Amino acid sequence: MNTFDTLSALRTIGLTPRVVQACLALAPQADEQLLRVVAVSRHQLLLHDGVQQRAAWAWPSLMASLQAARDQLVVGDWVLALPPAVGDVSVDRTGAGAEQPAWQVTRRLPPLNAMTRRVPAGHRQRLVSHVDVALLVLAADRPMSLRWADRWLALARLAHASPVVVLTKADLLARSPMALSPVAALERHWSVSAPGSVTPGSSDGNCPVPIRLLDGRGPEVLEQLSPWLKPGLTLALVGPSGAGKSTLANTLTALGGDPAQLPVGEVRASDGEGRHTSTGRALFRCAGGACLIDTPGLRSLQLDAAAADLEQAFDDVQTLASACQFRNCRHGSEPGCAVRESLAPSRLGSWHKLHREAQRQEMDWLGRRALLAEWKLRSKSARRRQRAEASAD
């Protein structure tokens, strides 16, 4: 089992008292060591003991149990592993020709939290685990999709991670008089006002989400993000492709003394979409003593949440709903709706859309067919009314 010195080293890569308690609950054997997963490839794992990386492979029994639960090992996981036996090496299937003594992962600690999504096939995909702060990276030089931003915010809150919105590429807006418009748009979108006091979504309200506008390559990155670059914290960079996550990761890790550098790609001039320069997830040390997990950009994001779970992702809706005139208010056209009076219409529209998606996930096949039939019937009725109104004119 780990000694006091090894536990001290693990604190530099995110070890917390809660993780130690979860480890002790598994009653580790004398020769099992606590390590953190910092990279996952098709053929092997990379673990870290706070001092150096260790090549490893997982026991077949562990992989079988995870696959049965439709789960997998991801970056950020804490695991128990056995040191390599004498003469044991990792099998190199990559062609690189470098063989290292292979550790054996025997057990995984239950994740304290995880960022997950639903893939098109319908099953759950865990992205990263044990995340304290989610840096939601969006490009400030692109048209701001407020509903897309709501999805990233919900992803962080569903994982119980503190969200911070990072608007990158501020250098591209430096000469524009509208340089702060993305920040103002998000502040208006997320602001909550007292019912009837100001216009819903006014920037005079209270915006609960920290927003930072910066150049991912500039020295101001450290100052802007310093409140979250604390020793022992784990940060995850999430966002769409081409938003500047890898550039920001390189800046933070260079300032933290980590020589690892990620490839940086260009965005297409035609549509501003980025290429997948990060093809896998990896954990690095970054400035301030925190750990940083860089993730590939996602072109689609379907939340892994039931309708009831969205209450924690939309805590503003939940708080305001207690002041609605009707207990079962759906925040639509009902009179006396405190939510509709206090939130920006775009924010409330996101809640309705994600709520419908969550309800569809909870339905069985027959329920989805019935809902689809109902939508088709409503669409036909709306088209008939439009034709009738056009004929009357």
Side-chain angles (χ1 to χ4, degrees), residues 142 169 242 265-276 299:
R142 300 185 196 173
K169 307 184 181 182
E266 300 293 335
V267 297
R268 291 192 298 266
S270 59
D271 58 6
E273 291 295 329
R275 298 178 176 87
H276 287 287
R299 299 191 187 276

Side-chain angles (χ1 to χ4, degrees), residues 116-375:
T116 62
R117 68 164 179 166
R118 290 280 177 175
V119 298
H123 62 269
R124 175 180 295 111
Q125 180 191 26
R126 199 157 54 95
L127 303 174
V128 293
S129 64
H130 297 277
V131 174
D132 301 301
V133 179
L135 299 181
L136 313 178
V137 184
L138 303 171
D141 64 329
R142 300 185 196 173
M144 181 61 61
S145 172
L146 298 176
R147 291 195 176 185
W148 189 231
D150 276 330
R151 285 184 181 270
W152 293 111
L153 179 61
L155 177 71
R157 285 180 168 173
L158 288 169
H160 303 283
S162 300
V164 179
V165 175
V166 180
L167 297 173
T168 60
K169 307 184 181 182
D171 54 308
L172 301 180
L173 300 178
R175 299 181 181 180
S176 169
M178 299 297 291
L180 297 180
S181 59
V183 178
L186 287 174
E187 287 179 342
R188 287 194 300 269
H189 179 66
W190 284 325
S191 291
V192 178
S193 58
S197 61
V198 295
T199 303
S202 169
S203 57
D204 296 333
N206 177 31
C207 180
V209 186
I211 304 173
R212 297 293 184 269
L213 177 66
L214 49 81
D215 177 2
R217 301 167 300 179
E220 74 274 9
V221 167
L222 185 59
E223 179 182 357
Q224 291 255 37
L225 300 180
S226 60
W228 303 280
L229 300 177
K230 304 297 185 183
L233 290 182
T234 298
L235 290 70
L237 290 171
V238 295
S241 300
K245 296 187 300 301
S246 296
T247 300
L248 182 60
N250 285 338
T251 302
L252 289 172
T253 54
L255 293 173
D258 194 324
Q261 291 288 291
L262 299 170
V264 178
E266 300 293 335
V267 297
R268 291 192 298 266
S270 59
D271 58 6
E273 291 295 329
R275 298 178 176 87
H276 287 287
T277 53
S278 293
T279 57
R281 299 164 184 87
L283 184 147
F284 307 95
R285 288 192 178 103
C286 70
C291 296
L292 182 70
I293 301 177
D294 182 53
T295 67
L298 301 179
R299 299 191 187 276
S300 64
L301 177 60
Q302 183 175 357
L303 297 178
D304 175 36
D309 297 332
L310 287 177
E311 303 303 331
Q312 67 186 41
F314 286 80
D315 53 352
D316 46 359
V317 175
Q318 183 182 18
T319 301
L320 293 167
S322 60
C324 288
Q325 180 176 345
F326 299 103
R327 181 175 300 178
N328 61 344
C329 182
R330 297 184 178 182
H331 320 308
S333 58
E334 298 88 347
C337 176
V339 176
R340 195 173 63 251
E341 294 177 2
S342 304
L343 286 188
S346 54
R347 174 68 172 167
L348 185 55
S350 291
W351 180 84
H352 281 298
K353 181 175 179 60
L354 293 176
H355 204 269
R356 290 193 298 268
E357 288 185 10
Q359 288 178 324
R360 288 199 300 269
Q361 288 184 18
E362 296 174 341
M363 292 180 179
D364 56 15
W365 181 81
L366 291 176
R368 293 192 185 98
R369 287 292 299 272
L371 184 61
L372 180 60
E374 180 181 352
W375 287 346

